[in-house]
Amino acid sequence: MAWNEPGGNDKHQDPWGGGNKGNNQGPPDLDEVLRKFQQKLSGLFGGKGGGSTSGRRGSGSSGMFSLVVIIAVVLYVWNAVYTVDEKEQAVVLRLGKYHDTVGPGLHMYFPPFEKKFQERVTEFRTYNLRQQMLTEDENIVEVAMSVQYNVGNLKDFVLQVEDPISSLEHATQSALRHVVGGSEMHSVLTEGREALADEVKERLQAYINLYKAGINVGRINVEATQPPREVQASFDDVIRAREDKERVQNKAQAYSNAIIPEARGEAQRKLEEAGGYRQEVIAKAEGEADRFSRLYAEYQKAPEVTRERLYLDALQEVLTTSNKVLVDVKGGNNVMYLPLDKLTGGNTGVNTSTSSTGLTQQEMNSIANRVADELRKRTPTSTRTGRTVR
């Protein structure tokens, strides 16, 4: 039978320790439960059980207050103790003023007199930006980039600027507009992207230092630079035309690199040949002049002999390179005549080309005619025959 059922008389079955008083079938008395609980607390904190009712109530109130105090102290200490890991730092304010910056470890502060701000200082965060702006040559470009940053000075990050992240965003936009506004569109869209990122980083860090926001800019990546979508097709045409221009220029430069050295080599060869011919002519002229001077000296010594020798040398040079006609003279010596055009069947026209002697054909023919006349004069008329041998 249950302890609270009618007829139950075993007081040990009552979980609240009460017996069967007058067959009371209702729930246990809450005041009695609370009183017993206070007695137990009083016993824990030095109180004595028993006594009058007023004494028991005083001891219960004192123990309850002590428990509340202990719980409050435990909760206070629990909230005051905090841990800073290796990636973090914490700034502690005492009575609203900066007190200390603590590093990794177990620390304690005392609210409400102190207040702490805890942040990750070694972890890099990323801020993404995409915006359109004007270039120096009044073209519109769209730039997308990301900014990697971390907290460099936690004290400044917490105390100097109300919203450091918002300040970073505004400073990034200002630095980007300043750099792009001083650059040409072609540079921003092509080979100038790396220089653009470096200049934006330098200017952005200068702004952040001026604000004392406590942020360190790690790296800026220019992810995309392009014209507005409305003119993308036209811009692609311009890019292709510029690439064709560069291709043609490179081809022309390659041809120039091939033909110019060849032309310079040919020019140098001709200059060397001309120099050689010049030296040859000068040497020959100097030799002829020296020979003439020596010959003139000999002529002054023996004019008749020298004149005869010069005559024979000239005649030999002329006859050596010409066809000859031999005339058999009866009773005399055979005489060589210069070939006449009619006798040899050669060209009757006047040849003005220069021979190896330095004389033209016309001059040689004239000399030959004079020599033939001179020979005829020396040969008697009665001794001539008409037999001719070629």
Side-chain angles (χ1 to χ4, degrees):
M1 180 179 295
W3 63 269
N4 58 351
E5 291 182 0
N9 55 3
D10 189 359
K11 64 179 181 179
H12 298 289
Q13 295 180 357
D14 185 356
W16 303 102
N20 185 10
K21 299 180 181 180
N23 295 328
N24 186 6
Q25 299 180 2
D29 189 359
L30 294 179
D31 292 336
E32 183 69 18
V33 174
L34 182 59
R35 181 183 62 80
K36 290 182 178 182
F37 181 70
Q38 289 177 351
Q39 287 178 356
K40 292 181 180 180
L41 290 179
S42 177
L44 291 175
F45 296 104
K48 295 181 180 180
S52 63
T53 306
S54 61
R56 290 195 300 269
R57 290 181 179 178
S59 298
S61 299
S62 176
M64 192 67 174
F65 176 76
S66 299
L67 178 63
V68 171
V69 171
I70 292 175
I71 293 175
V73 171
V74 171
L75 292 177
Y76 181 83
V77 173
W78 178 266
N79 292 327
V81 176
Y82 63 97
T83 302
V84 179
D85 64 22
E86 296 180 354
K87 297 182 179 180
E88 295 179 333
Q89 287 182 355
V91 169
V92 179
L93 304 182
R94 179 173 293 175
L95 299 177
K97 294 184 178 180
Y98 172 75
H99 173 63
D100 193 14
T101 300
V102 297
L106 186 64
H107 304 278
M108 183 176 180
Y109 74 113
F110 303 97
F113 307 103
E114 293 183 347
K115 188 176 182 180
K116 71 175 180 69
F117 297 91
Q118 192 169 341
E119 292 285 345
R120 292 182 176 267
V121 295
T122 61
E123 182 182 54
F124 277 89
R125 313 171 194 181
T126 302
Y127 162 61
N128 296 314
L129 172 67
R130 178 183 291 270
Q131 65 176 4
Q132 293 183 357
M133 62 206 76
L134 281 175
T135 61
E136 184 181 21
D137 49 359
E138 297 183 355
N139 289 309
I140 299 177
V141 295
E142 182 176 322
V143 179
M145 71 178 189
S146 61
V147 180
Q148 297 180 359
Y149 67 94
N150 68 330
V151 178
N153 190 324
L154 184 59
K155 176 184 175 183
D156 291 343
F157 185 80
V158 173
L159 301 178
Q160 295 296 332
V161 181
E162 181 178 0
D163 189 354
I165 305 303
S166 179
S167 299
L168 173 66
E169 295 175 359
H170 295 156
T172 303
Q173 295 177 11
S174 177
L176 181 60
R177 289 184 182 275
H178 187 280
V179 175
V180 173
S183 305
E184 295 184 353
M185 180 179 181
H186 176 70
S187 176
V188 174
L189 296 177
T190 54
E191 71 275 0
R193 293 172 57 178
E194 184 175 355
L196 173 68
D198 294 338
E199 190 172 353
V200 170
K201 175 185 176 182
E202 181 179 356
R203 184 170 294 275
L204 176 59
Q205 188 65 65
Y207 290 165
I208 295 299
N209 294 339
L210 182 63
Y211 298 158
K212 294 183 179 180
I215 294 177
N216 176 48
V217 180
R219 181 179 177 83
I220 292 182
N221 298 318
V222 179
E223 298 175 353
T225 55
Q226 60 186 15
R229 296 180 179 85
E230 294 78 7
V231 296
Q232 183 67 46
S234 299
F235 180 77
D236 292 340
D237 292 340
V238 173
I239 293 296
R240 285 192 291 269
R242 185 179 291 113
E243 291 175 352
D244 291 341
K245 174 185 175 182
E246 293 179 355
R247 180 178 55 80
V248 173
Q249 287 179 344
N250 294 335
K251 185 177 180 181
Q253 186 64 37
Y255 176 76
S256 174
N257 295 337
I259 199 66
I260 289 179
E262 183 179 352
R264 288 176 178 173
E266 184 68 18
Q268 185 66 27
R269 185 182 64 81
K270 291 184 178 297
L271 289 174
E272 292 177 357
E273 289 180 355
Y277 176 73
R278 175 176 174 271
Q279 295 297 330
E280 179 184 358
V281 171
I282 291 175
K284 185 176 180 179
E286 290 176 350
E288 291 291 335
D290 183 66
R291 186 179 67 83
F292 179 80
S293 298
R294 293 180 182 182
L295 186 62
Y296 181 70
E298 297 297 330
Y299 178 79
Q300 289 179 337
K301 294 177 182 180
E304 293 296 331
V305 175
T306 304
R307 186 183 302 112
E308 185 69 18
R309 193 186 69 180
L310 290 176
Y311 171 78
L312 295 176
D313 290 341
L315 185 62
Q316 180 180 1
E317 183 178 1
V318 171
L319 295 178
T320 300
T321 58
S322 304
N323 294 327
K324 295 169 283 296
V325 177
L326 298 179
V327 178
D328 186 10
V329 179
K330 186 177 180 180
N333 296 327
N334 293 334
V335 180
M336 294 186 297
Y337 278 87
L338 285 175
L340 302 178
D341 293 334
K342 293 182 179 179
L343 295 177
T344 61
N347 187 8
T348 59
V350 179
N351 187 2
T352 60
S353 60
T354 304
S355 66
S356 61
T357 61
L359 302 175
T360 63
Q361 186 67 35
Q362 184 177 5
E363 292 173 342
M364 293 177 63
N365 292 337
S366 176
I367 293 174
N369 292 333
R370 290 199 299 271
V371 171
D373 292 340
E374 185 66 22
L375 291 175
R376 290 191 190 95
K377 291 178 182 180
R378 294 182 182 183
T379 302
T381 305
S382 59
T383 62
R384 297 175 185 172
T385 64
R387 189 167 64 88
T388 301
V389 178
R390 174 171 297 198

